[in-house]
Every structure is written in C-alpha cells, then in structure tokens.
C-alpha cells in the first residue's frame, strides 16, 4: 500500500484485509484508520469521499496497523481498546478480549442487581479478566458495590488499569482463584456473575484471533470444558445469600450439563437464555 490520499489508502487496506480473510474488512479498515487519525468511522468515510490527502507519517502507521491485522492479530490489541456496553476497556496480550456475547450475558446480572432491595447491593465477578462484567455492573447499577476476582498474573494489570479508570472507587480487585475466593463474604453476596473458561481441551477455536491471541487460561477448562463451572458453582453457592442470583456465560452446547451441575449443588430456578442469534449463551439460577 503506497497510496497518499485517504480514499486510495482505505481501498488498499480493505482489499488487503479481505485477502487475509478478515470477516468485516471494511469495518476494520475504517476503525484502524480512524484510530490513527483520531476520527470516527463515519468521519473516515466522509474524508475518503473527498480524496483528502494524508500525511505520510500517518499513512505509514496505518499501513503497519493493517499488516498486523492481516496476520489476524485482534483489532483490539492493535488499538489497545475494546468497546463493552458503555465502556472502552484497555486490552492487550495476556487478557481475554471481551466479546459482544458477554454484553448480552451481563444484562442478566445488571437486572438482578438493580432489583436487590438492599440500598448497597453486593456483586462479585469471578474470573474478571479485563474487568468487563464487574465494571458494567458498577457503572450501570451505581449504588452497588462490586468485587472483581482474577488470578492470572498476566491479566491482573489489565484488570487493575480498567478498574482504576472506570471503577469510581466502587469496584475492589482481589487477586485470587475463583475456586476459593472471598471466604469473608460467605452468605453476603447478592449477585455472582462470571464468564469462565468453557472450551473443552480437545476443541480448537475456529477464529485465529481467539486461538492465537487469547490466553489459554481464559479459554480451556478440562475435558468437557466445565471444570471451571464446577468450581464456580460451589463458590457461588457459598458466597450467595439465600435468594441471591448466579449468572454464567457458557458455550451453546453446554446448557443441559451446566444446569445439572447447578441443580446438584442446590441451585433453584435454573434457566438458560438464548442470545440474539438463538444460541444458548447464559444460564441464571438462584441460591
């Protein structure tokens, strides 16, 4: 790509990403160009229509970003940011990049938390990663207190950074394993939410962005993918007050097995919820 006007550069970028198999090459090209130039996607398109000239230094940076994306490096790693509901979260190597599916899942936790009659309800995000679930609960239920638990030494700096930026003092970060987290809160928590690892060890994620760049600890969990869920269920049972809510994200083929785990641990009102594409994606239950 050697073009010096924005329209030609944009077209070259779209073509390069399409050849690389990027699912939405036009979107990603616009977002990368906009990231470098400080423009929205619409502004990139508007400027391209006028064939605006582009500074050669900016052009070099854009070309380098396109080359990185063409290797299937996640867009969010290149920009350093992942949008999540109303938030922009810092992400990069070592932390799981939050997905749109989790935006759907966390709504159940937000709704449950908002209905708690306690004037200062308490929620826990187990295996917090970027802090997406914890911060969504805290920013959308502003009278709540939230605890984020994360054990990965690679992910923790990202969790801390996002909580410092968005937590407004209402999210506490705890370094620890979801299997034995927060014994001091036993029986006191109103909502437990989690997007645990749930891919079986023998499965290979289809998308290179996931397979090559997301941390394995955030993806894989035992032969059937449910080892973390088993630990999570026991921990949530211990933490939740009677009537407290549990919200778990999972794979689309795991709903029945996950429900059996929860019922065996004494949860009631176990229900699976389908996402906008009709896939089983979230399960809720009550202590």
């Amino acid at each position: 790509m050697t073009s010096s006007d924005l329209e030609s550069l944009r077209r070259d970028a779209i073509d390069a990403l399409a050849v690389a198999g990027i699912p939405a090459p036009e979107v990603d090209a616009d977002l990368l160009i906009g990231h470098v130039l400080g423009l929205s996607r619409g502004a990139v398109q508007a400027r391209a229509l006028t064939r605006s000239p582009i500074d050669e230094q900016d052009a070099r940076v854009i070309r380098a970003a396109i080359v990185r994306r063409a290797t299937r490096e996640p867009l969010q790693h290149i920009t350093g940011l992942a949008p999540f509901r109303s938030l922009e979260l810092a992400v990069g190597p070592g932390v799981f990049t939050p997905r749109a599916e989790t935006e759907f899942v966390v709504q159940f936790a937000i709704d449950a938390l908002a209905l708690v009659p306690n004037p200062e309800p308490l929620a826990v995000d187990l295996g917090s990663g970027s802090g997406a679930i914890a911060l969504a609960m805290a920013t959308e239920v502003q009278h709540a207190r939230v605890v984020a638990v994360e054990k990965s030494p690679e992910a923790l700096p990202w969790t801390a950074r996002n909580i410092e930026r968005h937590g407004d003092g209402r999210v506490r970060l705890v370094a620890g394993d979801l299997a034995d987290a927060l014994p001091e809160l036993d029986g006191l928590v109103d909502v437990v939410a989690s997007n645990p690892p749930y891919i079986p060890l023998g499965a290979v994620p289809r998308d290179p962005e996931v397979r090559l760049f997301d941390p394995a600890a955030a993806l894989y969990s035992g032969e059937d993918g449910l080892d973390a869920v088993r630990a999570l269920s026991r921990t949530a049972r211990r933490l939740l007050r009677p009537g407290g809510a549990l919200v778990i994200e999972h794979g689309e083929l795991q709903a029945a097995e996950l429900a059996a785990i929860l019922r065996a641990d004494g949860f009631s009102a176990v229900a699976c919820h389908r996402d906008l594409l009709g896939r089983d994606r979230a399960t809720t239950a009550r202590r």
Side-chain angles (χ1 to χ4, degrees):
M1 295 185 293
T2 59
S3 309
S4 58
D5 70 82
L6 186 55
E7 171 57 22
S8 298
L9 181 64
R10 178 176 180 268
R11 179 50 52 194
D12 287 348
I14 293 169
D15 290 346
L17 295 181
V19 168
I22 301 300
E26 184 172 346
V27 173
D28 282 21
D30 287 344
L31 291 174
L32 288 170
I33 293 168
H35 175 69
V36 174
L37 300 181
L39 299 174
S40 68
R41 188 179 174 212
V44 169
Q45 294 171 343
R47 283 202 189 182
L49 286 174
T50 66
R51 303 191 73 89
S52 299
I54 183 168
D55 178 81
E56 187 52 39
Q57 174 58 29
D58 288 339
R60 281 195 294 270
V61 175
I62 290 167
R63 292 180 193 119
I66 296 298
V67 169
R68 290 173 64 185
R69 184 68 185 106
T71 70
R72 305 305 291 262
E73 183 176 354
L75 174 75
Q76 298 90 339
H77 282 204
I78 300 169
T79 65
L81 294 171
F84 188 81
R85 295 178 70 95
S86 64
L87 304 165
E88 271 200 330
L89 301 175
V91 296
V95 70
F96 182 80
T97 301
R99 307 294 203 275
E101 294 92 332
T102 307
E103 295 190 27
F104 161 79
V105 174
V106 77
Q107 186 65 55
F108 294 100
I110 289 166
D111 291 344
L113 195 57
L115 291 173
V116 175
N118 186 329
E120 199 175 43
L122 176 60
V124 171
D125 173 15
L126 292 173
S128 192
S130 67
I133 289 175
L135 288 165
M137 291 191 291
T139 55
E140 298 187 45
V141 187
Q142 295 196 357
H143 60 290
R145 294 172 295 135
V146 182
V147 182
V149 177
E150 176 56 52
K151 75 172 183 178
S152 165
E154 292 77 27
L156 273 166
W158 298 104
T159 326
R161 179 176 173 182
N162 287 317
I163 287 174
E164 182 178 5
R165 180 180 178 190
H166 297 290
D168 196 26
R170 289 178 290 105
V171 181
R172 178 167 65 97
L173 174 59
V174 173
D177 194 314
L178 64 80
D180 56 11
L182 307 172
E184 71 277 11
L185 296 182
D186 285 359
L188 300 176
V189 177
D190 297 293
V191 176
V192 170
S194 182
N195 177 17
Y198 54 74
I199 298 176
L201 287 174
V204 178
R206 178 176 59 252
D207 296 335
E209 290 85 349
V210 177
R211 186 173 66 249
L212 301 176
F213 292 94
D214 275 327
L219 299 176
Y220 305 102
S221 188
E223 294 299 322
D224 62 357
L226 293 172
D227 282 0
V229 167
R230 293 182 179 93
L232 169 64
S233 176
R234 293 189 294 269
T235 298
R237 169 78 178 172
R238 170 172 57 79
L239 290 174
L240 286 167
R241 62 166 176 78
L246 172 62
V247 179
I248 304 176
E249 179 174 335
H250 52 80
E252 59 187 297
L253 302 178
Q254 294 175 319
E257 290 176 274
L258 193 149
I261 291 168
L262 296 182
R263 291 192 180 102
D265 284 341
F267 282 95
S268 62
V270 179
C272 177
H273 308 273
R274 292 183 174 178
D275 64 17
L276 296 177
L277 297 177
R279 302 172 301 185
D280 292 341
R281 181 58 65 189
T283 289
T284 56
R286 290 282 176 177
R287 163 79 160 80

